[in-house]
Amino acid sequence: MGEKRKLGRQGLEVEAMGLGCMGMTEWYGATNDAESIRTIHRALEMGMSLIDTADMYAVGANEKLVGRALTGSWRDLAIVATKFGHRRDPDTGTFLGVCGRPEYVKSACEASLKRLGIDHIDLYQQHRVDPQVPIEETVGAMAELVTEGKVSYLGLSEAQVSDIERAHKVHPISTLQTEYSLFERHVENDILDTCEDLKIGFLAYAPLGRGLLTGRFQVASDFDEFDTRGTGTAYPRFQPGNFEHNAQLVEIIHSIGEPEGWSSAQVSLAWLLAQRSFIVPIPGTKRTERVEENANAIDIILTAEELDLLDTLDPRGARYPEASIPTSTSPPLPEA
Ligand SMILES: NC(=O)c1ccc[n+]([C@@H]2O[C@H](COP(=O)([O-])OP(=O)(O)OC[C@H]3O[C@@H](n4cnc5c(N)ncnc54)[C@H](OP(=O)(O)O)[C@@H]3O)[C@@H](O)[C@H]2O)c1
């Protein structure tokens, strides 16, 4: 451990591996708050400063959990990254759509600060581009939060090239967060080139293919009843047929790691770190032993032959059902 990476050119610098907290409260099976809090603390003890959450994860409960972990001096060790933009019904959790209106940005930030129990958010990210609101207006409101001292750095998630460029003209964008792993490589070329050109850091989410790349899941019964991956409807890559094929591919990753004593998760994370120098993966785990394992992947250097072999992996199935794949772009600014 001990490699730092710069995210953007505004001063944000973090350990090369972050921690995703989404699965600690929802979607990936049974949860255990006490172990999740221990996991956040272990990450911080190991220098993994970037802690990623979002207001929509478990309708605010995830931010509250992160807030409980960051009491006292723990806060000083963390770079808190949260997101706004996906609205959910507070009672039922039903998704109500994306919102990037300026007044909503301000109120969402206040609500996140309260749930997290902190006086400023280190990295504030727009979760999804609102196709109804010009991104200049959304980022304009985010920039005001910086001026007010409520937010330090700005980020986007799943934004397309034109929106990244437009947003960056309003206020420097420090990070783009988008799915990237050995099983999901759509950001290669255009998106990553744009980040490189504009000096924007890249947070690779679902870097372990939502767990598939770890080799832990071989049959559908490996998921418990609370796990949305079990039926495959939420994620086509987990659908029967695709799932078995994809699980088999992990054998190749395993064959690289086994002689060295590296896990498939570690090899997958080391592959990401080798792609570009401004990438920080944010693997999600709710267990202390796995956060340690993931952190230690920073020290793994893969050979050119190993990287070439990993490039041959050919997974089946899309990352989301077609209607949910994020492709929205923001409308043009109205003419003055
Ligand atoms: N911006 C967005 O739209 C967006 C979307 C999705 C996710 N994210 C962010 O990205 C983070 C990571 O993504 P993700 O959690 O969906 O997927 P992921 O990191 O690819 O995979 C998480 C899964 O891998 C397991 N795991 C983690 N480390 C492991 C290890 N060393 N060995 C074996 N299993 C391991 C976890 O299980 P255990 O918990 O049981 O260890 C969990 O089931 C999220 O927490 C969230 O912060 C952002």
Side-chain angles (χ1 to χ4, degrees), residues 19-23 28 52-54 57 83 86 125 127-128 157-158 177-179 181 204-217 227 229 235 263 265-266 269 282-287 289-291 293-294 320:
L19 173 66
C21 299
M22 185 183 83
Y28 293 168
D52 187 70
T53 177
Y57 297 162
K83 316 180 199 80
H86 271 302
Q125 309 159 95
H127 211 151
R128 291 287 183 275
S157 171
E158 293 279 359
Q177 177 173 151
T178 293
E179 185 162 355
S181 73
Y205 87 66
L208 298 172
R210 299 178 190 271
L212 256 182
L213 288 161
T214 68
R216 241 175 82 209
F217 305 109
D227 201 315
R229 296 169 295 189
Y235 309 112
S263 69
Q266 289 179 314
L269 295 171
I282 50 167
T285 181
K286 45 195 176 194
R287 295 166 215 265
E289 69 275 15
R290 292 197 184 128
V291 88
E293 182 182 323
N294 297 345
Y320 291 114

Side-chain angles (χ1 to χ4, degrees), residues 126-140:
Q126 184 184 21
H127 211 151
R128 291 287 183 275
V129 169
D130 185 340
Q132 311 294 332
V133 178
I135 199 158
E136 288 82 356
E137 293 179 9
T138 306
V139 176

Side-chain angles (χ1 to χ4, degrees), residues 237-260:
R237 220 158 265 160
F238 287 83
Q239 269 161 17
N242 294 341
F243 175 49
E244 293 75 9
H245 170 88
N246 296 333
Q248 272 281 302
L249 293 180
V250 181
E251 274 308 306
I252 297 173
I253 308 173
H254 181 73
S255 71
I256 292 173
E258 199 191 17
E260 302 287 346

Side-chain angles (χ1 to χ4, degrees), residues 14-266:
V14 300
E15 192 71 22
M17 195 72 65
L19 173 66
C21 299
M22 185 183 83
M24 292 178 180
T25 47
E26 198 180 19
W27 289 314
Y28 293 168
T31 60
N32 176 334
D33 285 1
E35 176 62 3
S36 291
I37 290 173
R38 275 194 293 275
T39 302
I40 295 172
H41 289 171
R42 190 71 194 111
L44 295 172
E45 281 167 352
M46 295 193 75
M48 292 165 90
S49 50
L50 189 85
I51 305 295
D52 187 70
T53 177
D55 60 2
M56 71 91 132
Y57 297 162
V59 207
N62 197 272
E63 285 186 329
K64 284 187 187 161
L65 179 76
V66 170
R68 280 167 57 202
L70 296 184
T71 48
S73 56
W74 291 111
R75 168 66 181 112
D76 304 334
L77 300 176
I79 299 290
V80 180
T82 192
K83 316 180 199 80
F84 71 92
H86 271 302
R87 290 169 54 247
R88 291 178 76 178
D89 184 294
D91 299 321
T92 62
T94 306
F95 282 84
L96 303 174
V98 169
C99 187
R101 290 197 310 274
E103 65 280 11
Y104 176 76
V105 176
K106 298 291 186 78
S107 66
C109 179
E110 291 300 332
S112 285
L113 285 168
K114 202 164 161 199
R115 281 190 293 265
L116 287 160
I118 57 181
D119 63 6
H120 73 280
I121 293 163
D122 298 301
L123 176 63
Y124 202 40
Q125 309 159 95
Q126 184 184 21
H127 211 151
R128 291 287 183 275
V129 169
D130 185 340
Q132 311 294 332
V133 178
I135 199 158
E136 288 82 356
E137 293 179 9
T138 306
V139 176
M142 293 166 76
E144 284 173 22
L145 293 171
V146 177
T147 309
E148 292 162 15
K150 293 178 177 166
V151 164
S152 301
Y153 303 100
L154 302 187
L156 303 174
S157 171
E158 293 279 359
Q160 310 298 323
V161 168
S162 60
D163 286 330
I164 300 168
E165 291 170 345
R166 285 169 59 187
H168 198 64
K169 283 186 188 149
V170 177
H171 187 279
I173 300 296
S174 299
T175 59
L176 175 72
Q177 177 173 151
T178 293
E179 185 162 355
Y180 188 29
S181 73
L182 272 167
F183 277 179
E184 181 52 56
R185 301 179 60 169
H186 76 281
V187 295
E188 289 179 350
N189 308 321
D190 286 1
I191 296 277
L192 288 175
D193 286 350
T194 302
C195 288
E196 188 151 359
D197 290 348
L198 298 178
K199 310 269 185 283
I200 293 173
F202 186 89
L203 302 181
Y205 87 66
L208 298 172
R210 299 178 190 271
L212 256 182
L213 288 161
T214 68
R216 241 175 82 209
F217 305 109
Q218 297 292 326
V219 288
S221 56
D222 288 339
F223 300 105
D224 72 32
E225 59 181 308
F226 305 107
D227 201 315
T228 52
R229 296 169 295 189
T231 61
T233 47
Y235 309 112
R237 220 158 265 160
F238 287 83
Q239 269 161 17
N242 294 341
F243 175 49
E244 293 75 9
H245 170 88
N246 296 333
Q248 272 281 302
L249 293 180
V250 181
E251 274 308 306
I252 297 173
I253 308 173
H254 181 73
S255 71
I256 292 173
E258 199 191 17
E260 302 287 346
W262 304 328
S263 69
S264 297
Q266 289 179 314

Side-chain angles (χ1 to χ4, degrees), residues 309-331:
L309 181 57
L310 290 169
D311 273 339
T312 65
L313 295 184
D314 185 19
R316 273 192 209 147
R319 59 192 181 119
Y320 291 114
E322 200 170 331
S324 316
I325 293 178
T327 53
S328 290
T329 52
S330 105

